[in-house]
Amino acid sequence: PDDSTISTINSSVDYEYSPIRVSNFEITSDSGLPVELPRGERNVKKIAAGFNHSAAITKSNHAFLWGKNVLLDPETLKAVDSLAPIQIKGLPQNLEILDISCGSHHTSILLEDGSVYATGITTDTKEQIGGKTLVQIIPPGLIDMPVRQFISHFDRTTVVAGECGEQVLEVQLWSTEELRKEAVFEPCWVEEMLTQTDQIMSVHRGWLHTVVVGGTDR
């Protein structure tokens, strides 16, 4: 619709997700809490939800985040919360945002040139990186477009790509540019999986397990 309505339904949370403390998100609603995007940005084409944060892409090619640990306080360098959607800055101009996905504590964005940018809590230091800006975690040229599936799980983002779904890449959000340069990898099960099926349709990760859906042309 031209004027999308977004509601967030939350439960109070008070427990440990080691080593990140998640507590006292004091909004409980069975009917939904309205989320107001800025005027002129209400034509939403994609929504994603993470552990305690959410994201959206609008048809004006802008990305927004709201929830817990989505911003970096420039004074304390600590992650802070935002109930109102905050526009994410730092993406290359003139490139279409194809997809957005939330992991437990990070958000990844896929652009039309195959590059992927992210913000959130890093895997190694467990500290906030980005916030209103993003860092590149997959450079253009690595992903065999088109992308079949773009999904963020607990600590990583998975890309299933290629005309026949023959490429699977995974990447985590690391704290330094040096680590991010070597961060993209092919999961160890891909080669064996492609001996049993013609193509990989999708990948789904639980907390301690992975489900892979294969397909055949025959």
Side-chain angles (χ1 to χ4, degrees), residues 98-102 106-118 136-153 155-172 183-190 194 199-205 210-213:
L98 297 184
D99 210 342
I100 192 166
S101 188
C102 296
H106 75 283
T107 302
S108 295
I109 295 176
L110 172 68
L111 301 184
E112 64 177 325
D113 67 346
S115 61
V116 176
Y117 286 75
Q136 187 181 87
I137 57 174
I138 300 181
L142 287 186
I143 296 176
D144 296 333
M145 305 293 280
V147 170
R148 175 170 293 190
Q149 182 193 33
F150 181 76
I151 184 169
S152 294
H153 316 278
D155 62 347
R156 66 196 63 194
T157 296
T158 299
V159 181
V160 180
E163 293 290 346
C164 298
E166 70 279 1
Q167 184 189 52
V168 180
L169 298 176
E170 291 190 346
V171 63
Q172 293 173 285
V184 185
F185 65 96
E186 180 184 86
C188 60
W189 48 261
V190 172
L194 288 174
Q199 54 188 315
I200 294 172
M201 307 297 293
S202 60
V203 178
H204 309 271
R205 288 181 59 88
T210 300
V211 177
V212 181
V213 180

Side-chain angles (χ1 to χ4, degrees), residues 2-218:
D2 291 337
D3 194 1
S4 305
T5 299
I6 305 173
S7 294
T8 302
I9 301 174
N10 292 317
S11 298
S12 295
V13 190
D14 190 7
Y15 59 94
E16 292 283 351
Y17 174 75
S18 179
I20 304 166
R21 178 68 176 173
V22 180
S23 62
N24 300 323
F25 203 34
E26 299 292 351
I27 300 172
T28 303
S29 173
D30 293 329
S31 59
L33 174 71
V35 175
E36 287 283 341
L37 288 171
R39 187 174 299 275
E41 295 284 359
R42 296 179 181 178
N43 200 338
V44 175
K45 68 176 186 179
K46 179 76 176 184
I47 286 284
F51 187 67
N52 248 337
H53 73 288
S54 303
I57 304 171
T58 62
K59 288 190 176 179
S60 56
N61 204 44
H62 294 148
F64 293 85
L65 278 179
W66 65 96
K68 288 193 71 70
N69 299 323
V70 297
L71 295 174
L72 185 66
D73 188 311
E75 295 183 0
T76 65
L77 298 181
K78 300 293 185 181
V80 295
D81 309 335
S82 176
L83 292 178
I86 302 296
Q87 184 177 344
I88 304 172
K89 304 290 187 178
L91 289 169
Q93 296 182 353
N94 304 319
L95 289 177
E96 182 184 356
I97 301 173
L98 297 184
D99 210 342
I100 192 166
S101 188
C102 296
S104 60
H105 292 83
H106 75 283
T107 302
S108 295
I109 295 176
L110 172 68
L111 301 184
E112 64 177 325
D113 67 346
S115 61
V116 176
Y117 286 75
T119 184
I121 303 295
T122 60
T123 296
D124 53 334
T125 65
K126 304 301 184 290
E127 296 175 344
Q128 175 78 21
I129 190 170
K132 286 188 177 181
T133 60
L134 297 98
V135 295
Q136 187 181 87
I137 57 174
I138 300 181
L142 287 186
I143 296 176
D144 296 333
M145 305 293 280
V147 170
R148 175 170 293 190
Q149 182 193 33
F150 181 76
I151 184 169
S152 294
H153 316 278
F154 295 97
D155 62 347
R156 66 196 63 194
T157 296
T158 299
V159 181
V160 180
E163 293 290 346
C164 298
E166 70 279 1
Q167 184 189 52
V168 180
L169 298 176
E170 291 190 346
V171 63
Q172 293 173 285
L173 178 58
W174 300 97
S175 61
T176 67
E177 184 176 355
E178 182 178 3
L179 288 173
R180 292 192 292 270
K181 285 180 179 179
E182 306 295 331
V184 185
F185 65 96
E186 180 184 86
C188 60
W189 48 261
V190 172
E191 185 175 352
E192 174 64 24
M193 182 74 180
L194 288 174
T195 67
Q196 304 175 39
T197 184
D198 293 333
Q199 54 188 315
I200 294 172
M201 307 297 293
S202 60
V203 178
H204 309 271
R205 288 181 59 88
W207 186 256
L208 294 174
H209 71 289
T210 300
V211 177
V212 181
V213 180
T216 178
D217 292 330
R218 297 187 295 272

